[in-house]
Amino acid sequence: MPNPASGFVQVNGIRLHYLDWGGSGPTLIFLTGMGSSAYIFNKFAPRFTDKFHVLALTRRGQGDSDYPETGYDADTLTEDIRQFMDSLHVEKAILAGHSLAGVELTHFAATYPARVEKLIYLDALDDRRSLQAIQQQNPLRNIEIKKEESSPHTFEEYIADMKRDFPYFAEIWSDLWEEEISHNVKINEAGVFVDKMPASVEKMMIENLIKGYIPKKVEAKIPNLIFYALGTPTLENGYTEEQKAAFDQYFRNVRGPILKSVISEFQNRFPHAKVVEIRDGHHYCFMVQEELVYSEMRKFLLE
């Protein structure tokens, strides 16, 4: 793995962690999805240092950043990013965000348009309200999968449990994931490895940024590139073949068409945006479909 400079900034009364891969030119800042740290970009981000100064910020409540009890709303998170840029004397930046960071991209561009050069959405929806509504049609919504009881006392045991319980991650596992996960776990008083992120923080993010967020209107015409990964996710272990088939049908016949409408709605709001749909794409498209995403990003950034 690359060895970027690791640093902290004091913003909004808390400490946020970031990585700096160096490089010269315009500043390119990567923003993480929910539960991830800046290390998730440690293979992809350095590929741009020949033309850009490349950074990644770890959101509050994640990774090596602080875990305050409040501040998990779009306004506060946007202010975190602004103050982060101020601390590093970055006047204007290209923002590239994964997953949940789509909210921050749109909200930041609407709030501080003069400080954004370009926006890149890495399978990063900024409006998930319609997808939440169709969850009631998910045939697996009321089926509880019991996971094997485990109390991992080593990092290796924690990783083994994660691979067992979440094949969606196991199928794309690499050394990068082990580095990433190491910054998102801690040892509790019983000597057991557990997630750093408290359930209360996750709940606030879901309520404020997924269920309740209405995209703020972006008045400025900022160049946009958005990737949509249209693959069907691999289910957790424990479902029957019949249940898996029912979910696959739901995802393709119900959720898929709704996602297409979400893409159309985004294009209506950003008619100048370049949209790249990745058929059978993985949510972590910048890792699994790395060459495609890298190629499209590079063309977009150098235009």
Side-chain angles (χ1 to χ4, degrees), residues 8-58:
F8 293 88
V9 292
Q10 196 75 23
V11 303
N12 260 347
I14 62 169
R15 196 174 73 148
L16 295 182
H17 173 257
Y18 71 96
L19 293 178
D20 185 346
W21 288 272
S24 58
T27 301
L28 170 59
I29 301 174
F30 285 90
L31 303 175
T32 68
M34 185 166 72
S36 295
S37 77
Y39 288 93
I40 198 70
F41 298 111
N42 201 21
K43 183 172 181 289
F44 187 65
R47 300 187 69 176
F48 297 93
T49 54
D50 62 327
K51 296 290 184 179
F52 303 91
H53 178 198
V54 185
L55 306 161
L57 177 66
T58 301

Side-chain angles (χ1 to χ4, degrees), residues 35-149:
S36 295
S37 77
Y39 288 93
I40 198 70
F41 298 111
N42 201 21
K43 183 172 181 289
F44 187 65
R47 300 187 69 176
F48 297 93
T49 54
D50 62 327
K51 296 290 184 179
F52 303 91
H53 178 198
V54 185
L55 306 161
L57 177 66
T58 301
R59 181 186 295 107
R60 63 170 64 204
Q62 299 178 182
D64 297 329
S65 291
D66 282 348
Y67 290 70
E69 295 182 356
T70 60
Y72 302 96
D73 58 272
D75 287 337
T76 304
L77 294 170
T78 293
E79 187 62 15
D80 286 351
I81 298 168
R82 185 191 70 81
Q83 291 189 27
F84 166 70
M85 290 172 62
D86 288 349
S87 296
L88 272 61
H89 307 291
V90 175
E91 182 59 34
K92 197 170 187 178
I94 301 157
L95 300 179
H98 175 236
S99 194
L100 188 68
V103 170
E104 290 158 314
L105 296 186
T106 297
H107 209 79
F108 191 94
T111 308
Y112 302 110
R115 304 199 64 174
V116 183
E117 190 168 339
K118 293 183 177 183
L119 295 169
I120 300 168
Y121 294 75
L122 298 167
D123 205 30
L125 299 178
D126 62 358
D127 188 351
R128 290 176 167 83
R129 289 172 296 164
S130 59
L131 296 182
Q132 289 291 311
I134 65 167
Q135 179 62 17
Q136 292 303 312
Q137 300 180 56
N138 184 345
L140 306 183
R141 68 188 184 281
N142 295 322
I143 299 174
E144 183 179 351
I145 298 298
K146 291 186 178 181
K147 293 183 174 62
E148 183 180 327
E149 292 290 336

Side-chain angles (χ1 to χ4, degrees), residues 27-298:
T27 301
L28 170 59
I29 301 174
F30 285 90
L31 303 175
T32 68
M34 185 166 72
S36 295
S37 77
Y39 288 93
I40 198 70
F41 298 111
N42 201 21
K43 183 172 181 289
F44 187 65
R47 300 187 69 176
F48 297 93
T49 54
D50 62 327
K51 296 290 184 179
F52 303 91
H53 178 198
V54 185
L55 306 161
L57 177 66
T58 301
R59 181 186 295 107
R60 63 170 64 204
Q62 299 178 182
D64 297 329
S65 291
D66 282 348
Y67 290 70
E69 295 182 356
T70 60
Y72 302 96
D73 58 272
D75 287 337
T76 304
L77 294 170
T78 293
E79 187 62 15
D80 286 351
I81 298 168
R82 185 191 70 81
Q83 291 189 27
F84 166 70
M85 290 172 62
D86 288 349
S87 296
L88 272 61
H89 307 291
V90 175
E91 182 59 34
K92 197 170 187 178
I94 301 157
L95 300 179
H98 175 236
S99 194
L100 188 68
V103 170
E104 290 158 314
L105 296 186
T106 297
H107 209 79
F108 191 94
T111 308
Y112 302 110
R115 304 199 64 174
V116 183
E117 190 168 339
K118 293 183 177 183
L119 295 169
I120 300 168
Y121 294 75
L122 298 167
D123 205 30
L125 299 178
D126 62 358
D127 188 351
R128 290 176 167 83
R129 289 172 296 164
S130 59
L131 296 182
Q132 289 291 311
I134 65 167
Q135 179 62 17
Q136 292 303 312
Q137 300 180 56
N138 184 345
L140 306 183
R141 68 188 184 281
N142 295 322
I143 299 174
E144 183 179 351
I145 298 298
K146 291 186 178 181
K147 293 183 174 62
E148 183 180 327
E149 292 290 336
S150 178
S151 299
H153 283 80
T154 67
F155 183 65
E156 289 73 23
E157 290 176 354
Y158 182 93
I159 293 298
D161 287 350
M162 187 172 182
K163 288 181 178 180
R164 179 197 66 213
D165 293 336
F166 302 103
Y168 192 62
F169 292 108
E171 65 189 13
I172 63 168
W173 204 263
S174 66
D175 290 345
L176 174 63
W177 272 110
E178 302 212 3
E179 179 181 44
E180 159 66 13
I181 298 301
S182 71
H183 294 275
N184 287 289
V185 295
K186 64 180 181 180
I187 303 174
N188 66 15
E189 294 178 355
V192 176
F193 280 77
V194 296
D195 290 348
K196 280 186 182 179
M197 180 190 287
S200 59
V201 168
E202 182 179 3
K203 181 179 179 181
M204 282 186 281
M205 286 189 187
I206 291 172
E207 292 295 329
N208 294 331
L209 307 176
I210 295 178
K211 291 183 177 180
Y213 182 71
I214 301 173
K216 193 173 182 180
K217 186 175 182 181
V218 179
E219 300 287 354
K221 188 175 180 180
I222 299 169
N224 280 269
L225 171 63
I226 181 163
F227 294 91
Y228 284 107
L230 302 178
T232 304
T234 304
L235 292 173
E236 300 174 29
N237 294 321
Y239 291 106
T240 66
E241 291 304 315
E242 184 180 1
Q243 289 167 342
K244 290 178 181 178
F247 177 79
D248 185 70
Q249 186 176 23
Y250 154 78
F251 201 88
R252 294 182 184 279
N253 298 335
V254 179
R255 188 179 172 91
I258 294 296
L259 182 57
K260 286 284 190 178
S261 71
V262 170
I263 296 173
S264 297
E265 187 275 333
F266 184 91
Q267 287 182 292
N268 288 335
R269 283 189 285 127
F270 300 96
H272 55 284
K274 180 178 181 181
V275 176
V276 178
E277 297 184 16
I278 309 175
R279 182 172 298 188
D280 296 324
H282 197 283
H283 182 49
Y284 287 83
C285 56
F286 61 94
M287 298 168 69
V288 182
Q289 284 82 36
E290 180 180 345
E291 293 307 319
L292 168 63
V293 175
Y294 171 73
S295 176
E296 292 290 346
M297 267 188 66
R298 195 166 186 87

